[in-house]
Amino acid sequence: MSKQRLQQVADTMQRILGEVIQKELKDPRVGFATVTRVDVSADLQHAKVYISVMGTPEERAATMAALNHARGFLRKRLADEMGYMRFIPELRLIQDTSLDYSMHLDQVFREIQHERLVNPPKLDDEQ
């Protein structure tokens, strides 16, 4: 299958899963979760679903546990929406921590900027 077709399938899965998680899951443990990316294997047998979850570490863990518990339901909803596909991939849900890392880097850069304002660097000709 072409890379373009795989990407189209992944994008469709991302859209559908995002909508199902936001609108159809009734589990109270599911907090604010966003599907950030889906990677589909070339044979369409497996899909890695990256999910960004907001909240405390305990809330994140509870949300991921609830989503893993609902994997069968999510796959069934994919099958309903993507009836044109012969196979619906097995879903592997992965917590996406890239947003946390970006926020951490942003904080580090702010601290560096503040430190430079408080203690400006001395240039060689100022000594």
Side-chain angles (χ1 to χ4, degrees), residues 100-115:
D100 295 335
Y101 186 68
S102 297
M103 290 172 47
H104 169 72
L105 286 179
D106 187 50
Q107 180 62 31
V108 169
F109 289 139
R110 286 177 197 229
E111 290 172 4
I112 291 171
Q113 183 180 19
H114 180 266
E115 183 66 30

Side-chain angles (χ1 to χ4, degrees), residues 10-86:
D11 291 345
T12 302
M13 288 177 65
Q14 179 179 349
R15 180 186 53 78
I16 293 169
L17 289 171
E19 290 174 4
V20 170
I21 289 170
Q22 292 298 316
K23 298 176 182 172
E24 296 181 30
L25 282 183
K26 303 296 184 205
D27 193 324
R29 297 176 295 169
V30 176
F32 187 72
T34 305
V35 178
T36 57
R37 186 173 93 221
V38 175
D39 291 336
V40 182
S41 66
D43 62 359
L44 294 176
Q45 295 298 311
H46 304 283
K48 293 179 184 176
V49 181
Y50 294 87
I51 300 174
S52 177
V53 183
M54 301 300 284
T56 65
E58 294 82 18
E59 292 169 338
R60 292 176 183 194
T63 297
M64 289 305 294
L67 290 174
N68 274 308
H69 183 73
R71 262 191 340 214
F73 173 75
L74 295 172
R75 190 167 182 224
K76 167 113 175 53
R77 289 295 293 125
L78 279 175
D80 293 344
E81 295 289 327
M82 301 176 76
Y84 54 87
M85 289 186 59
R86 189 176 301 171

